[in-house]
Amino acid sequence: MKPLEQLTRKNIWNLAPYSSARNEYAGREARVFLDANENPYNQPFNRYPDPLQLELKDALSRLKRVPAECIFLGNGSDEAIDLPYRCFCEPGVDNVVAIEPTYGMYKVCADINNVEYRTVLLDDNFQTTAEKLLAATDDHTKIIWLCTPNNPTGNCLNRFEIIKVIEQFQGLVIVDEAYSEFSSQQPLRTELGQYPNLIVLNTMSKAWGCAAIRLGMAFATKEIIDIFNKVKYPYNVNLLTQQQALEALKRPIDVEEWVKVLLQERTRMMDAFAILPICEKVYHTDANFFLAKMTDANSIYNYLVDRGIIVRNRSRIQLCNNCLRITIGTKTENSELIAALRQYL
């Protein structure tokens, strides 16, 4: 890995971050707050939230087995996806490499930040190699994006190849593990200490059932997290999100039960799709969704919409022609989908 100072945009490395009122007295007890021009009434919503979310990070640290100082929390994973571009990629100069197909926000954020986005097409098994990914890089490649389990394909990428990329690439490797709770593969966040150029993303939106509160997270070395904290908006995670996340983290047994049920339903749904005359192939998945190749995805999608059932039509994405992406819902919702598809003519 190149020195972090070389990977970071010069203006960001030299940036003096905004110092909020709540940062300046950190570490000392306080009772009277007359520093932030707040209204003293309507507690607790009148006060700005903790800008570094320390209580929440402590709770996540115990659960995720990552030091609190190595955790960044953002307004959904989207903030954690956008920040690396803003911190490390010089607009109009640098580039990133990503697999294709994959989660669309990596490219959207690249386009917003005027950063070239290079893709490496997956093979027919939705896999790639370190050799192919590294061959797409040059001296201006700052980031390689990998999503595992991958969206929309659902499968985990080859772990051996991921490790080779991390070890051989001189820039940053970002591994998005949004769906890791549904996979049997060991999360890479547990190996952060071995790889100073690794950033791992995770979210409260999937297994934890908290998509509405918009809480994403990034795990990396303290040095990388410190750079993120320099650039992020001062109060990027609001009080309500922090409170709800803390409440959710008190119920990990609920999440374990949800995941167990969803995996059972995933098997049932994939088996049911496999015998539908209108389904040509069901792809292996390690996530809470699966990809199915249909005889006419556009027509089937519209048929389902007319019946108030919404799935994702991925037909316009490379390697996903005529494919629908099916999220696993409740048993009732899943059964309604299967019943509708059995009536399709």
Side-chain angles (χ1 to χ4, degrees):
M1 175 186 174
K2 293 179 181 178
L4 191 58
E5 183 175 357
Q6 291 183 24
L7 292 173
T8 307
R9 293 173 58 189
K10 186 176 181 180
N11 66 305
I12 299 299
W13 187 263
N14 296 326
L15 176 69
Y18 174 76
S19 180
S20 71
R22 292 298 179 262
N23 284 119
E24 293 174 359
Y25 80 94
R28 288 172 285 179
E29 293 295 325
R31 294 181 298 102
V32 179
F33 296 96
L34 303 175
D35 58 337
N37 301 336
E38 299 156 321
N39 187 325
Y41 305 109
N42 195 37
Q43 294 187 12
F45 307 112
N46 61 321
R47 300 298 183 190
Y48 288 109
D50 176 4
L52 293 176
Q53 312 95 29
L54 296 179
E55 183 181 2
L56 180 52
K57 285 180 180 176
D58 284 341
L60 282 166
S61 175
R62 293 188 294 272
L63 179 76
K64 302 291 186 178
R65 293 177 291 162
V66 175
E69 64 185 12
C70 296
I71 301 174
F72 168 82
L73 299 181
N75 184 353
S77 291
D78 293 343
E79 184 176 6
I81 291 168
D82 184 55
L83 268 180
Y85 288 103
R86 296 166 60 197
C87 294
F88 304 113
C89 297
E90 196 67 49
V93 176
D94 292 327
N95 66 76
V96 303
V97 170
I99 57 175
E100 178 69 23
T102 195
Y103 182 44
M105 277 304 295
Y106 312 143
K107 185 178 189 307
V108 169
C109 289
D111 292 344
I112 290 172
N113 287 281
N114 191 26
V115 173
E116 181 188 357
Y117 185 84
R118 301 179 175 183
T119 60
V120 174
L121 191 65
L122 297 176
D123 63 23
D124 290 340
N125 295 315
F126 298 142
Q127 293 289 344
T128 190
T129 64
E131 181 181 10
K132 290 179 181 178
L133 289 164
L134 295 170
T137 68
D138 62 18
D139 290 341
H140 289 288
T141 306
K142 290 292 187 68
I143 296 168
I144 294 178
W145 290 96
L146 298 171
C147 185
T148 181
N150 187 33
N151 177 11
T153 61
N155 62 300
C156 282
L157 300 178
N158 185 304
R159 189 183 185 86
F160 177 72
E161 296 296 330
I162 294 175
I163 297 299
K164 283 172 62 177
V165 171
I166 297 169
E167 291 177 340
Q168 296 179 33
F169 182 50
Q170 292 296 298
L172 299 169
V173 179
I174 304 181
V175 179
D176 190 341
E177 295 185 334
Y179 301 95
S180 60
E181 287 90 346
F182 300 100
S183 168
S184 60
Q185 191 173 95
Q186 180 74 8
L188 275 167
R189 68 170 183 271
T190 61
E191 302 180 33
L192 281 175
Q194 301 179 48
Y195 306 113
N197 62 332
L198 173 63
I199 301 172
V200 177
L201 305 185
N202 201 222
T203 179
M204 294 287 288
S205 295
K206 309 305 178 185
W208 286 85
C210 289
I213 71 172
R214 308 309 303 132
L215 185 69
M217 57 201 81
F219 309 104
T221 64
K222 180 181 181 300
E223 292 73 20
I224 291 174
I225 298 301
D226 286 346
I227 292 173
F228 284 175
N229 286 334
K230 284 175 64 174
V231 176
K232 77 174 186 69
Y233 293 118
Y235 305 108
N236 62 321
V237 180
N238 69 69
L239 175 65
L240 298 178
T241 291
Q242 293 186 46
Q243 290 177 336
Q244 185 57 42
L246 283 166
E247 285 302 309
L249 292 174
K250 295 175 183 178
R251 306 190 305 274
I253 295 177
D254 288 350
V255 177
E256 292 176 9
E257 183 61 27
W258 294 340
V259 170
K260 179 182 176 181
V261 171
L262 289 171
L263 293 180
Q264 291 172 345
E265 279 295 292
R266 186 181 75 185
T267 298
R268 181 175 77 92
M269 288 291 287
M270 293 174 72
D271 289 345
F273 260 74
I275 59 176
L276 287 172
I278 57 174
C279 180
E280 296 181 351
K281 182 175 182 178
V282 177
Y283 292 91
H284 169 79
T285 184
D286 299 290
N288 66 329
F289 62 86
F290 64 92
L291 202 63
K293 187 175 182 64
M294 313 301 286
T295 53
D296 187 343
N298 291 331
S299 176
I300 295 168
Y301 173 80
N302 290 327
Y303 163 82
L304 291 172
V305 169
D306 288 342
R307 281 151 185 78
I309 301 171
I310 310 301
V311 297
R312 197 76 189 270
N313 187 354
R314 301 281 73 186
S315 292
R316 296 182 181 179
I317 293 178
Q318 284 187 283
L319 302 182
C320 297
N321 184 46
N322 258 339
C323 285
L324 298 179
R325 193 190 69 191
I326 313 298
T327 303
I328 305 302
T330 65
K331 185 172 183 178
T332 299
E333 291 170 332
N334 299 334
S335 296
E336 186 174 349
L337 170 60
I338 292 299
L341 291 174
R342 286 172 177 162
Q343 297 171 18
Y344 177 82
L345 299 178

